[in-house]
Amino acid sequence: MDLTKFWDQKTPQSPGGSEQIIIGPIDLISPQGHLETQQAIVIKDKKINNINDLNSVTSQYPTIKPLPAPDYIALPGLINAHTHAPLAYLRGAGHGKSNMIEDLFFKTECQLTPELLKPLSYSYIVDGLKSGATCFGDHYYFIEGVAYALERIGVRGVVGECVGDIGTAIPGDDRWSKARDSIENWSFSSKIKPLVAPHAMDTVSEKLLKEMATYAAKNKLPIHFHLSQTNNEKVFVERNYQCTPTELAQQCNLLGPNTLAVHAINATPNDCKILKDSGATVGFCPSSQVIYEHVAPLDLFATSQLPIATATDCAASNDGADLLSELKVTSLFARHLKCPESYLTPKKLFESVTANPAKVFGLQNEIGSLEKGKSADIVFIKKDLLLEPLEDALTNIIFSQGSRSVEHVMVAGEWVLWKRGLVKASEDDLKQEFLGAVKEIKKRI
């Protein structure tokens, strides 16, 4: 094959059938956040076998002809740390609604079934993939359906069954036993990992929160939950426990280095200190938070130097899964709230969708950066006129381009997006299945 024509193919064929592929020359974003030019990425057995300047790599592998990619910038696959993919059936429904969670979500979600979850997940996962997300942190009901959808499309997931015994759309004492059974009989590929997912501080009893925290610690699993998501949650916890939601989470042993505490819109300075001291990461979903109630106190997060994982949340409260655009929104809120510029530099912003969520999910040795030994999860950004002049690549990608420049995506060394089209599934088929599931759930509402 003429490798100079590789990128013009309608479908991504192997450039030579070799188990070892070299892509270069190519520009890439290094773990330090710099644009490294004239690089080469060596891929073998689904992993990055080497990264170095093109001359060094070609001299090391003289028998392998590199696949030239001078028109692209390579990014590590992005991680959308907090999604509820099946809620795409409520896309746009959250605008102008108050008390959205109880009055909209819970009243519709109680009609969901395991069979509906897989097709309902397709829209949001594809949306996220086309913005460069290769891994999704999903926290929802009948989570096996989301896992199946992720596998069909070919991307990664860290997923957990939403559990609540005193609230949620599907409350019950049996929810946690079913979630445990799912974890202990995990039937998915290595790209899909389980997590422990209590819903929130006002929907899970103190006893069950402690039990779930103990289980997560014993089994070395991440914990992913809503924390201080709404004013209603804050009032409930203060009335019943005489403390803040964050203080309750601390008392229940939920906070630690593998904890993603999402939202924290009512966090106090003391809450931020508790979160920082515990090593937890805060899930920050600015567009969703504004539509729900109000944005979280990013200025307090900055004062405490809290690590954040920027995410989109769900289509009912954000409409889309464009993670790169969400980074721009995050930066603008940081500026509006007068956060120190050092807190969210372009590099640190980018880490909030790469290294930070990889660490909190325990995947820092596998994904989150382009480095030797990590999985070949690579996003290829097209270098076109709209990206120029390319003086600061990360700034341009975040503020000028967003997802529209994502052209190709590879997960574990396999193409999953090619010329913005799906590789492992038919988008037309997914659309028809999704719309059929939407029609069915809306009949039940």
Side-chain angles (χ1 to χ4, degrees):
M1 179 187 294
D2 180 357
L3 294 183
T4 62
K5 302 294 185 183
F6 178 80
W7 304 101
D8 296 329
Q9 297 175 100
K10 291 183 179 179
T11 55
Q13 302 298 315
S14 169
S18 172
E19 66 171 352
Q20 199 161 37
I21 298 172
I22 299 175
I23 301 177
I26 189 169
D27 296 349
L28 59 84
I29 300 296
S30 72
Q32 294 73 37
H34 304 310
L35 181 69
E36 303 285 352
T37 61
Q38 292 294 303
Q39 298 293 293
I41 304 171
V42 183
I43 299 170
K44 182 180 180 181
D45 298 328
K46 302 183 179 182
K47 293 184 178 295
I48 297 172
N49 187 250
N50 195 5
I51 296 182
N52 211 326
D53 66 86
L54 181 64
N55 290 335
S56 297
V57 168
T58 52
S59 63
Q60 186 175 353
Y61 303 92
T63 62
I64 303 175
K65 192 170 184 180
L67 169 61
D71 295 330
Y72 294 94
I73 300 173
L75 315 178
L78 309 183
I79 305 167
N80 196 343
H82 182 67
T83 65
H84 308 289
L87 270 172
Y89 74 90
L90 289 177
R91 179 176 277 115
H95 295 280
K97 299 285 195 309
S98 59
N99 207 24
M100 190 193 317
I101 295 171
E102 290 84 359
D103 292 347
L104 178 61
F105 293 178
F106 289 177
K107 287 186 177 180
T108 62
E109 290 171 325
C110 62
Q111 300 298 322
L112 291 168
T113 64
E115 296 75 24
L116 288 173
L117 264 289
K118 180 180 176 181
L120 287 176
S121 301
Y122 292 145
S123 176
Y124 212 60
I125 294 169
V126 172
D127 191 0
L129 173 58
K130 290 187 177 185
S131 82
T134 58
C135 182
F136 296 77
D138 208 278
H139 171 291
Y140 208 58
Y141 311 102
F142 310 121
I143 201 66
E144 290 88 349
V146 180
Y148 284 125
L150 292 165
E151 294 230 276
R152 181 172 179 185
I153 294 166
V155 295
R156 296 184 186 276
V158 188
V159 301
E161 183 73 21
C162 179
V163 172
D165 57 343
I166 60 173
T168 76
I170 311 174
D173 294 336
D174 62 334
R175 299 294 300 162
W176 174 227
S177 63
K178 290 179 180 178
R180 286 199 315 271
D181 288 344
S182 176
I183 291 170
E184 291 162 10
N185 296 282
W186 202 245
S187 58
F188 302 100
S189 74
S190 60
K191 288 193 291 189
I192 311 296
K193 308 287 188 183
L195 54 77
V196 174
H199 179 263
M201 298 300 98
D202 59 341
T203 54
V204 188
S205 67
E206 184 178 12
K207 177 178 180 294
L208 184 52
L209 288 170
K210 291 179 178 178
E211 185 178 338
M212 295 179 77
T214 299
Y215 182 89
K218 179 181 178 181
N219 292 280
K220 298 180 180 179
L221 294 172
I223 302 177
H224 179 175
F225 62 96
H226 302 103
L227 178 68
S228 198
Q229 181 178 17
T230 63
N231 287 319
N232 284 347
E233 179 185 341
K234 173 178 178 288
V235 170
F236 176 92
V237 172
E238 288 176 343
R239 183 176 64 244
N240 289 278
Y241 300 101
Q242 294 74 55
C243 64
T244 69
T246 301
E247 290 167 344
L248 177 60
Q250 182 188 40
Q251 292 167 22
C252 294
N253 303 313
L254 287 167
L255 303 180
N258 292 119
T259 298
L260 183 69
V262 182
H263 298 310
I265 70 166
N266 293 308
T268 66
N270 185 58
D271 290 338
C272 293
K273 182 179 186 304
I274 290 170
L275 290 163
K276 173 64 176 178
D277 290 347
S278 75
T281 297
V282 174
F284 185 66
C285 311
S287 299
S288 176
Q289 289 166 2
V290 169
I291 292 174
Y292 276 134
E293 290 189 7
H294 58 83
V295 73
L298 197 57
D299 51 341
L300 297 184
F301 297 171
T303 300
S304 298
Q305 291 296 296
L306 264 175
I308 65 168
T310 302
T312 61
D313 209 341
C314 63
S317 62
N318 189 0
D319 305 301
D322 189 334
L323 199 51
L324 287 172
S325 293
E326 205 73 2
L327 288 183
K328 179 176 181 178
V329 175
T330 297
S331 180
L332 294 176
F333 273 121
R335 183 177 292 272
H336 175 71
L337 293 169
K338 297 182 171 32
C339 297
E341 289 188 14
S342 60
Y343 179 59
L344 285 177
T345 62
K347 174 180 179 289
K348 290 183 177 179
L349 269 175
F350 194 64
E351 288 174 344
S352 78
V353 294
T354 52
N356 291 0
K359 180 176 180 293
V360 77
F361 289 146
L363 298 173
Q364 64 270 31
N365 295 324
E366 190 170 354
I367 59 175
S369 58
L370 297 179
E371 294 183 82
K372 181 179 179 179
K374 292 195 175 183
S375 178
D377 292 18
I378 306 172
V379 175
F380 295 83
I381 295 279
K382 184 77 171 176
K383 287 198 298 184
D384 56 21
L385 176 62
L386 304 181
L387 201 57
E388 300 293 347
L390 197 61
E391 296 181 5
D392 184 323
L394 277 183
T395 297
N396 284 24
I397 289 167
I398 293 169
F399 287 90
S400 299
Q401 282 300 84
S403 63
R404 63 184 174 181
S405 288
V406 174
E407 189 81 2
H408 314 295
V409 177
M410 175 182 283
V411 176
E414 297 181 342
W415 298 107
V416 295
L417 191 76
W418 183 262
K419 295 185 177 180
R420 297 192 63 78
L422 299 183
V423 174
K424 294 183 172 292
S426 161
E427 190 166 337
D428 287 340
D429 289 347
L430 298 186
K431 178 181 177 182
Q432 292 308 311
E433 292 175 40
F434 171 73
L435 291 176
V438 171
K439 184 177 180 180
E440 177 60 30
I441 187 62
K442 291 195 172 181
K443 282 197 309 188
R444 302 179 184 191
I445 296 173

